Amino acid sequence: MDKIAHESDVTHHYLRPKKKFPNVWCAGCGNGIVMGALIRSIDRLGLDKDEVVVVSGIGCSSRMPVYLDFGTLHTTHGRALPFATGVKIAKPNMKVIVITGDGDALAIGGNHFIHACRRNIDITTILINNKIYGMTGGQFAPTTPGGSFATTAPYGNYEKQFDAVKLAIGAGASYVARGTVYHVQQLEKLIEGAIMKKGFALVDTYSNCHTYYGRFNKEGDAVAMLDWFKKHAVPINVAQKLPPEKLEGKFVTGLIHETNATEFCEEYAMLVERLAAKES
């Protein structure tokens, strides 16, 4: 079997057999690239379908669990992490993966995001960051750069943008990485590392929304936006050797932060055990 045929079989193996396609995503959307990267990462790790739960909120990216043949939850807007926390506490041996967008995770769900990082609960969060609300009509999001245009910012966004990587590091996450939908092989390795890391893991994934963000800001079609990722991404091992002025207008990719800290479910289990011992 040639390589392309094998990869096609791998993808189909993890899609719901009775789900009708095509999907809801615009042609050229990066969400499909992220879904393929996630599938191949899980396959390479050798995880059984029944070992994995994929949880999402609301938004274009949050449709992903609908297509995947794992344990899945498609929940309410901004609430993927609370649902995922419940799953992880009930089933601590399962791999729990949250698929979320920048509006879902950092605006409506922003409080849940920082506290999931703070607790360091063993959840992998793949944040598909396209700088705008897509499904609801192109409103500006916490990640929309200042001066950029959106349906709710017709004269330019006057707010400052969140850096999800810095936010996660500051809040206490154990594994924080950034990739893009152009650099697919790097993205797969980052997702693999995130899944296997004990503690809260974030993969901030820059993706294209050419339908809204690209059109409003004259950044071109899907190909042009992927080309922008290609030209402006700097791997962290290269960035560490460059002076700040050489990184002006660029962004850093790769595993940016990793640390070892106690994990929430294990701490909770030890507390229960200690209290039970007192009563016996």
Side-chain angles (χ1 to χ4, degrees):
M1 181 181 299
D2 61 50
K3 185 172 183 292
I4 294 176
H6 173 71
E7 289 182 352
S8 176
D9 284 351
V10 167
T11 301
H12 285 123
H13 176 67
Y14 292 97
L15 296 178
R16 288 187 188 277
K18 295 182 180 179
K19 181 65 185 172
K20 292 182 179 178
F21 286 87
N23 54 53
V24 300
W25 299 321
C26 301
C29 176
N31 288 336
I33 297 173
V34 177
M35 186 169 74
L38 174 63
I39 285 173
R40 290 187 292 275
S41 299
I42 289 173
D43 184 72
R44 270 200 293 275
L45 290 172
L47 299 175
D48 189 89
K49 289 180 182 179
D50 292 335
E51 294 179 82
V52 178
V53 177
V54 182
V55 185
S56 71
I58 295 295
C60 297
S61 58
S62 293
R63 293 287 294 183
M64 194 178 297
V66 175
Y67 307 119
L68 295 172
D69 193 22
F70 302 110
T72 59
L73 281 172
H74 188 190
T75 71
T76 51
H77 211 176
R79 308 295 184 253
L81 280 167
F83 279 90
T85 297
V87 172
K88 189 65 187 179
I89 291 173
K91 298 286 185 182
N93 293 326
M94 298 195 77
K95 296 293 185 185
V96 180
I97 300 167
V98 167
I99 305 294
T100 184
D102 40 321
D104 187 56
L106 302 178
I108 298 106
N111 210 28
H112 301 303
F113 179 82
I114 59 174
H115 289 292
C117 294
R118 177 181 62 84
R119 295 181 182 117
N120 197 37
I121 188 166
D122 187 21
I123 293 172
T124 296
T125 296
I126 300 175
L127 171 62
I128 302 181
N129 184 349
N130 60 10
K131 305 178 184 175
I132 204 162
Y133 283 89
M135 180 171 281
T136 53
Q139 297 88 351
F140 71 88
T143 53
T144 304
S148 296
F149 296 95
T151 52
T152 48
Y155 306 109
N157 176 27
Y158 51 86
E159 296 186 3
K160 297 175 179 63
Q161 67 184 132
F162 259 149
D163 182 327
V165 163
K166 290 181 179 176
L167 181 62
I169 294 171
S174 281
Y175 181 104
V176 183
R178 180 184 288 128
T180 85
V181 292
Y182 176 83
H183 305 85
V184 178
Q185 292 179 328
Q186 179 196 47
L187 180 62
E188 292 175 10
K189 289 179 182 175
L190 294 174
I191 292 174
E192 284 181 43
I195 292 173
M196 297 311 295
K197 180 68 181 181
K198 176 68 77 175
F200 190 85
L202 171 72
V203 182
D204 183 22
T205 306
Y206 282 11
S207 183
N208 56 296
C209 177
H210 47 284
T211 301
Y212 286 115
Y213 189 82
R215 181 161 54 91
F216 290 148
N217 293 285
K218 302 186 186 311
E219 293 197 1
D221 60 12
V223 174
M225 294 188 76
L226 263 65
D227 190 53
W228 191 91
F229 295 144
K230 173 187 175 184
K231 292 175 178 173
H232 291 80
V234 181
I236 188 164
N237 60 325
V238 175
Q240 289 170 336
K241 300 172 186 172
L242 294 176
E245 60 270 22
K246 292 285 187 184
L247 292 172
E248 194 70 33
K250 307 282 187 181
F251 63 91
V252 178
T253 60
L255 177 55
I256 295 170
H257 168 81
E258 184 173 22
T259 188
N260 294 316
T262 55
E263 194 272 331
F264 177 79
C265 293
E266 292 181 346
E267 292 271 3
Y268 186 77
M270 286 191 289
L271 173 65
V272 171
E273 187 176 341
R274 193 164 66 244
L275 293 176
K278 277 187 177 179
E279 291 180 357
S280 61

